[in-house]
Amino acid sequence: MDDRLDIRKLFCDWVEPDVAHYYLACLIGIMVLDESQDGWIRVKGVFNTNNPVSTCLFHLLEQAVAHGLLEENEYSQYRWNPTFEKNLYWERS
């Protein structure tokens, strides 16, 4: 498993909507995380058009916010909700 694929790390700061879509696509395994500019240029069109993948990822983001996993600000940016982590029953420290 790629250590970079940790939702808490990917969303540690506010993330633009298209990047949030990309991160989700990588997290669920339909894209490979490539942090280079060339990698982003190759895939960014998927997130800027109306298509089934983009629509699905948008709904996943909405649900992640609705259930408290992520937070959304007034600029439609997303980040990990630190209070959600306190409720994780599978990772008690």
Side-chain angles (χ1 to χ4, degrees), residues 75-90:
Y75 305 107
S76 296
Q77 297 170 324
Y78 301 89
R79 74 174 176 189
W80 176 254
N81 181 354
T83 61
F84 182 81
E85 195 160 346
K86 293 176 184 172
N87 299 318
L88 294 179
Y89 62 87
W90 62 85

Side-chain angles (χ1 to χ4, degrees), residues 1-38:
M1 171 120 178
D2 190 335
D3 289 338
R4 300 172 301 161
L5 289 178
D6 180 329
I7 193 168
R8 291 168 281 202
K9 290 178 184 176
L10 291 172
F11 287 91
C12 66
D13 294 316
W14 291 109
V15 176
E16 294 296 323
D18 50 353
V19 176
H21 283 92
Y22 174 60
Y23 286 166
L24 279 182
C26 295
L27 286 164
I28 63 175
I30 61 174
M31 290 190 171
V32 176
L33 183 61
D34 181 347
E35 297 170 313
S36 72
Q37 186 67 23
D38 289 338

Side-chain angles (χ1 to χ4, degrees), residues 31-71:
M31 290 190 171
V32 176
L33 183 61
D34 181 347
E35 297 170 313
S36 72
Q37 186 67 23
D38 289 338
W40 173 246
I41 289 171
R42 282 193 304 273
V43 299
K44 74 177 189 169
V46 171
F47 312 111
N48 297 325
T49 58
N50 185 13
N51 63 72
V53 171
S54 179
T55 301
C56 176
L57 294 170
F58 174 76
H59 290 300
L60 283 173
L61 281 173
E62 283 186 323
Q63 288 301 304
V65 171
H67 293 285
L69 180 74
L70 297 176
E71 298 176 317

